[in-house]
Amino acid sequence: MTEASPVRNVFFVGIDVDSMGGSQRVLHTLAQGMGERGHRVELIGIRPSPEPFPYNATRTYRHSTLYPAPSEPKPPVRTVGDRLSLARRAEARRARADRDNARAEFERKLAEVEDGYIVFGSPWAVDWVMPLKWRHLKGIGQYHESFAQAKRSANLGLIRRHYPALEQTLVLSEGDAVEFVNQRVPNVRVMPNPLPFFPDELAPLDTRKIGAVGRLDPIKRYDRMIEAFAQAHKGREGWELHLFGEGPLEGELRMRAEDLGVADQVVFRGTAQDMAAAYRELSVVAISSEREGRPMALAEAAACGVPCVSFDVSGGVRELVADGVSGTLVPPADVPGLAAALGELMDDDEMRLRYGRAGREHVAHLALPHVLDQWEAAFEEIER
């Protein structure tokens, strides 16, 4: 933080801030960076993560969680007896008590400061907080996905309902900003997600490893990734596909690799504790998702000098991958096209190096100090 920048109280709030995911990593990265600049920062999770990831072993910010346990799916109510059962009524009382305690603890934390900012990490966090006592702080609403994703979910309704009451709405791309303004969301500002690291050295790109980073969830469509890899692998011995992440589809994806004859070449790595080191192992990073906003895996890989291949599913993807310069974009769901793009990079060592160097330059503006400067400018604009 520069000498002229005042020390600010900043609360970051999300539903689950500790799972392994792009939005969670962004919140921890911003909290750490602002803490290093001297701001008084607390990251508040409303619910604890069922699978917490150890972000920032040495923290410059406070961190807390409001509810005592992760949310659990409730069994369906099929009969009047189910609805009136003593066990269900007791559970409802516990849930109300947990909610009331969480709200009281949240308001107590905010009451400790006279002014500052509350940064909402998602529309659902705003929805939870909106009825509570927080209006002595200035509100900023983030949205970490694309407008197209918001439109296909309840998020757009929540944004339209709540974000106009906030000081600013932060989105990830100029195209998304235009779309949200057209939805009568005021005070929209483009704010990129920061890189959690920007290594001094590029990845050597001398391995025969393709990587994919993210939870093994349906939205990532790793079934398509494995199918594309199986096609690209033919005649290219020694190459492997490494999947970094955990999730409910692991068993199904292992069976898919077995069916396609690449079970020995698809490696399930689980959760990596050091992603910067993981990217250095790779020679290509690929994304096969059904939809994405501005996927951090593409930015992180590029920062490490690893070329990327991705389905062209959003403006955020197009901003992170310069097609034919730092990587290759493929029409959505085009598995043969994804296989061909992977095969081209697998065959061409010089192309991988050229794309890797270009990718690092392409995302240099996302290094944490540059993004924090933009946050300081946003604070100053609000305060004028």
Side-chain angles (χ1 to χ4, degrees):
M1 186 167 59
T2 65
E3 285 187 21
S5 299
V7 174
R8 298 178 173 94
N9 300 304
V10 184
F11 295 91
F12 288 93
V13 182
I15 299 296
D16 164 11
V17 301
D18 292 315
S19 291
M20 182 185 177
S23 61
Q24 289 90 344
R25 185 181 296 278
V26 166
L27 290 175
H28 280 272
T29 300
L30 287 171
Q32 183 77 1
M34 289 190 187
E36 290 172 352
R37 289 196 170 196
H39 296 300
R40 293 183 289 265
V41 182
E42 181 164 0
L43 175 57
I44 301 174
I46 294 171
R47 290 274 188 181
S49 167
E51 299 175 359
F53 183 83
Y55 295 103
N56 299 327
T58 303
R59 290 173 174 160
T60 62
Y61 56 97
R62 294 191 299 173
H63 179 284
S64 58
T65 307
L66 301 177
Y67 275 82
S71 59
E72 296 182 359
K74 294 180 175 58
V77 177
R78 294 191 173 90
T79 67
V80 174
D82 287 344
R83 185 176 294 109
L84 299 178
S85 73
L86 292 177
R88 182 173 289 276
R89 291 160 67 183
E91 175 57 34
R93 286 195 296 272
R94 282 194 296 271
R96 285 194 297 271
D98 286 345
R99 180 200 61 197
D100 292 345
N101 290 336
R103 288 175 168 174
E105 174 63 9
F106 184 77
E107 291 180 338
R108 183 194 66 76
K109 287 177 177 294
L110 301 191
E112 292 178 350
V113 303
E114 294 183 358
D115 57 24
Y117 291 86
I118 179 167
V119 180
F120 299 100
S122 74
W124 293 100
V126 185
D127 192 58
W128 192 89
V129 171
M130 192 58 77
L132 308 183
K133 298 175 182 176
W134 63 274
R135 297 310 178 106
H136 60 297
L137 303 174
K138 297 177 176 67
I140 296 176
Q142 293 180 295
Y143 189 57
H144 294 282
E145 299 178 279
S146 67
F147 176 79
Q149 286 174 296
K151 191 168 61 173
R152 288 193 291 261
S153 70
N155 286 325
L156 182 57
L158 292 173
I159 290 169
R160 293 179 64 182
R161 186 187 315 159
H162 296 312
Y163 280 46
L166 306 179
E167 299 289 339
Q168 282 196 338
T169 295
L170 304 183
V171 299
L172 297 177
S173 72
E174 294 289 351
D176 285 336
V178 171
E179 295 284 5
F180 281 113
V181 169
N182 289 340
Q183 294 292 317
R184 299 183 180 178
V185 179
N187 303 322
V188 178
R189 184 188 189 103
V190 176
M191 183 67 71
N193 287 334
L195 288 161
F197 44 75
F198 199 79
D200 292 333
E201 296 182 359
L202 299 176
L205 308 183
D206 58 357
T207 68
R208 294 192 169 193
K209 295 179 182 178
I210 297 166
V213 180
R215 275 186 57 79
L216 308 182
D217 284 335
I219 195 66
K220 297 298 184 182
R221 291 307 304 261
Y222 284 137
D223 56 326
R224 290 175 174 167
M225 175 77 73
I226 293 171
E227 184 180 349
F229 172 75
Q231 293 179 23
H233 182 262
K234 293 175 182 176
R236 299 181 176 96
E237 298 302 319
W239 282 87
E240 297 175 339
L241 173 63
H242 288 237
L243 302 180
F244 292 88
E246 299 176 347
L249 295 186
E250 181 172 339
E252 182 179 320
L253 293 172
R254 286 183 181 276
M255 291 177 60
R256 182 65 172 154
E258 183 77 36
D259 291 342
L260 293 170
V262 290
D264 292 339
Q265 289 76 42
V266 178
V267 183
F268 291 81
R269 297 286 296 269
T271 300
Q273 301 299 312
D274 185 346
M275 279 309 305
Y279 285 116
R280 284 190 59 80
E281 292 182 35
L282 305 175
S283 290
V284 181
V285 162
I287 284 187
S288 56
S289 302
E290 190 77 34
R291 59 182 188 268
E292 289 280 359
R294 191 181 174 96
M296 288 303 296
L298 293 179
E300 292 169 359
C304 296
V306 182
C308 300
V309 174
S310 176
F311 285 146
D312 184 3
V313 291
S314 72
V317 168
R318 290 189 289 277
E319 289 179 5
L320 291 173
V321 179
D323 187 33
V325 177
S326 68
T328 306
L329 297 179
V330 178
D334 181 0
V335 172
L338 183 62
L342 291 175
E344 186 177 29
L345 281 169
M346 292 160 78
D347 290 339
D348 195 329
D349 296 352
E350 178 53 37
M351 177 182 284
R352 293 200 302 274
L353 292 169
R354 185 172 69 253
Y355 278 10
R357 289 191 296 267
R360 182 175 168 85
E361 293 178 7
H362 190 64
V363 301
H365 68 288
L366 300 179
L368 181 57
H370 298 306
V371 176
L372 290 176
D373 287 345
Q374 294 182 59
W375 275 88
E376 303 282 6
F379 291 149
E380 291 168 6
E381 179 180 302
I382 291 171
E383 291 160 9
R384 282 201 290 269

